[in-house]
Amino acid sequence: MATARRTRLRPEERRNQLVALGVATLADRPLAEVTVEEIAAEAGVSTGLVYYYFGSKNGLHHEIVRRARDSMLHASEPQPELPPAERLSNTLSQLVTYVREHGPTFYSLVRGAASGDEEVRAVIEDARRQQTERALAVLLELGVPDTELLRIAVRSWVALAEQALVDGGINSDLAADELVGYLERSLGGVVAAVVPGAAEALLGASAHSAKA
Amino acid sequence: MATARRTRLRPEERRNQLVALGVATLADRPLAEVTVEEIAAEAGVSTGLVYYYFGSKNGLHHEIVRRARDSMLHASEPQPELPPAERLSNTLSQLVTYVREHGPTFYSLVRGAASGDEEVRAVIEDARRQQTERALAVLLELGVPDTELLRIAVRSWVALAEQALVDGGINSDLAADELVGYLERSLGGVVAAVVPGAAEALLGASAHSAKA
């Protein structure tokens, strides 16, 4: 990146560039091993400048993991114009595409949950909370009754989805539609485990959307 | 523990006692914060003796997490004399009882997955692998075809179960049988998401065992 050395950027552009370079390094190594020195070298700036923007290595790591989380949440953003079951199906399909294209970034998010750094873990936990809310919104719209057990079930399904995306999306060459179908139907199965009757609404609706 | 100061133990007994004290401390704080000094003080021995047995703080931590993992696996050991679906039901019931009685130990295992220490993470991963094998054995005995997707599904259900046990077993006062029922039926739902026909064998069998 010889040209980067001579590029002058405005502060906000420089900050963005440094975080983007940090996210890109996740393809090669875990977040915990990303250093201020390598990011500075990649950008052709001094380590002092990186410290100026992020305060410390941890500060840099927090921004990298936030950016990675936001890219995953953005890529799987529900389409509000779709009816609930199709919206879920679309979200899961986008998520599988994202994981297939950005495996290391997604994996770094999952492994970030295993960080010793409390703020990194909080960023990941927030992503899980948002994905739980998205799935819950679909179910409530379909008329599934909102109970404590339902919330526990949906949160536990998000843990299932994360593991299935690592095992099936990154560590195997399973067909994308098989994986999407599994994620979709497993949520149906989890709801059926909580409210036998109400689940058929989701399963019926999602079978319909699969045919459409 | 004033009397402990005067107790003379044989090496294997002393080692066991130190690990047991370590597991007990997990009720109050995460594994990462358990120190050689406090374990030595609890046992009324020198810190040198603790280092003699475990080499380092990390060595002590590895033994504590292994003991915690073994106690969880032992408490949820499948009863070989039971038919497959009832064996699963019994295992899940034992697991919920264990989590209710030893919440902090179980939680430390789940959080241990978030350790920066690779060996601690490997011990936890081994527990997940064993629980996956147990559930898979039940399904295969019931005639569910062994496919790559089935293995991904069962492994992802173990992640679901872990999260549901934390949220429903430790962080809520949900009735134990509601939680057991959810775990059991969610596995049925996950299998149904992979092999629609074959799952009914498990669900039918487990509904039968619930009535028995």
Side-chain angles (χ1 to χ4, degrees), chain A residues 178 180-190 203 206, chain B residues 149 189 192-194 196:
Chain A
E178 265 205 272
V180 173
Y182 168 64
L183 291 172
E184 199 175 5
R185 290 189 304 271
S186 65
L187 180 60
V190 157
L203 291 168
S206 90
Chain B
L149 184 57
V194 177

Side-chain angles (χ1 to χ4, degrees), chain A:
Chain A
M1 297 197 62
T3 58
R5 293 181 189 278
R6 276 169 285 128
T7 310
R8 289 190 65 93
L9 296 176
R10 283 177 304 171
E12 199 46 39
E13 289 170 338
R14 178 64 80 193
R15 197 172 197 286
N16 275 335
Q17 178 210 25
L18 295 170
V19 177
L21 287 170
V23 173
T25 61
L26 297 178
D28 302 318
R29 69 197 69 98
L31 180 64
E33 290 173 18
V34 175
T35 66
V36 166
E37 287 68 23
E38 71 181 303
I39 300 301
E42 287 262 0
V45 302
S46 69
T47 57
L49 193 71
V50 180
Y51 282 116
Y52 170 77
Y53 281 114
F54 304 105
S56 63
K57 186 174 82 169
N58 281 348
L60 173 65
H61 286 179
H62 300 160
E63 286 308 313
I64 292 171
V65 78
R66 270 188 212 107
R67 179 76 59 93
R69 171 200 62 186
D70 292 345
S71 79
M72 185 272 286
L73 287 172
H74 181 73
S76 57
E77 182 111 34
Q79 300 301 309
E81 71 279 8
L82 294 174
E86 289 173 37
R87 192 189 322 138
L88 175 75
S89 184
N90 176 266
T91 298
L92 293 174
S93 178
Q94 297 302 322
L95 194 56
V96 169
T97 302
Y98 177 82
V99 169
R100 280 275 153 93
E101 286 173 4
H102 303 87
T105 305
F106 184 78
Y107 192 62
S108 76
L109 286 171
V110 174
R111 295 293 286 99
S115 168
D117 185 314
E118 207 162 315
E119 195 161 335
V120 168
R121 289 204 308 271
V123 172
I124 312 294
E125 206 43 54
D126 175 65
R128 289 169 171 167
R129 190 189 53 72
Q130 290 197 46
Q131 297 287 34
T132 302
E133 290 299 323
R134 287 171 172 184
L136 201 57
V138 165
L139 298 172
L140 299 182
E141 269 184 75
L142 287 169
V144 178
D146 188 358
T147 63
E148 183 185 22
L149 183 56
L150 181 72
R151 287 175 177 264
I152 290 170
V154 175
R155 173 65 186 85
S156 72
W157 174 81
V158 169
L160 170 152
E162 197 173 273
Q163 187 67 42
L165 285 163
V166 168
D167 291 346
I170 303 176
N171 298 333
S172 90
D173 50 10
L174 198 73
D177 61 348
E178 265 205 272
L179 185 53
V180 173
Y182 168 64
L183 291 172
E184 199 175 5
R185 290 189 304 271
S186 65
L187 180 60
V190 157
V191 176
V194 177
V195 199
E200 272 141 40
L202 173 71
L203 291 168
S206 90
H208 177 77
S209 81
K211 268 179 266 156

